[in-house]
Amino acid sequence: MKYYKVWALLACAGLIASCFMPWTYYPDLNKVFNGFFSEQNMYGRPGKVFVFFAVVSMAFILINRVWAKRFNVLVSALNLAYLIKTYILFTNCYVTCPEKRYGIYVLLVSSILLMVTALLPDMKVEEKHVDESSLE
């Protein structure tokens, strides 16, 4: 990917921004939940975890070492797993079904894009030529 860093940094920025956007609306409570607010903190504050994953991913994206790219795959996979848990938690129907808002979709897209960019980094690998006569 030629524009790997640009797409990855945009995904990190989208991930952070989505935590402040409305995720779901609960009509029985007449409240909108986001990454940092849920009724009586029942769902916790998953926005903190997503911001942490985005900042760590940004650091690994900007470091041009192979180990950083490998750790970025790990962080992105953990982010995706936490996304699945959070999506199920926030969008499940309990007493009434919540209304999904645009923030949860931005969170989905940016997390998936972050995982794709972590799997396809733009790294130049040097080829080492081995002298065949020294192998015999």
Side-chain angles (χ1 to χ4, degrees):
M1 290 178 62
K2 188 174 181 180
Y3 299 106
Y4 152 75
K5 286 186 180 182
V6 174
W7 284 106
L9 292 175
L10 283 174
C12 289
L15 189 63
I16 292 171
S18 70
C19 293
F20 296 98
M21 297 176 188
W23 286 358
T24 53
Y25 170 73
Y26 289 84
D28 56 337
L29 299 173
N30 196 21
K31 291 189 178 181
V32 176
F33 290 8
N34 64 16
F36 297 107
F37 172 76
S38 60
E39 180 67 19
Q40 298 173 353
N41 206 17
M42 291 178 68
Y43 296 154
R45 293 187 179 165
K48 289 182 179 180
V49 178
F50 286 120
V51 168
F52 172 76
F53 283 145
V55 169
V56 171
S57 289
M58 276 187 204
F60 286 145
I61 289 163
L62 296 175
I63 297 172
N64 284 329
R65 299 277 186 243
V66 173
W67 62 266
K69 305 308 176 196
R70 291 178 181 160
F71 276 114
N72 192 22
V73 171
L74 173 69
V75 171
S76 297
L78 290 173
N79 180 37
L80 198 61
Y82 195 71
L83 165 76
I84 293 168
K85 176 245 178 215
T86 303
Y87 184 82
I88 291 170
L89 183 69
F90 272 77
T91 60
N92 260 350
C93 297
Y94 297 107
V95 176
T96 59
C97 290
E99 208 179 280
K100 295 176 195 145
R101 296 289 173 100
Y102 60 92
I104 199 86
Y105 296 116
V106 173
L107 182 72
L108 277 169
V109 170
S110 59
S111 292
I112 292 170
L113 182 62
L114 187 62
M115 187 66 199
V116 168
T117 56
L119 291 174
L120 303 171
D122 188 24
M123 289 290 296
K124 305 291 186 249
V125 179
E126 295 178 13
E127 291 186 28
K128 293 183 180 179
H129 297 287
V130 178
D131 187 21
E132 292 179 15
S133 62
S134 64
L135 295 175
E136 296 174 0

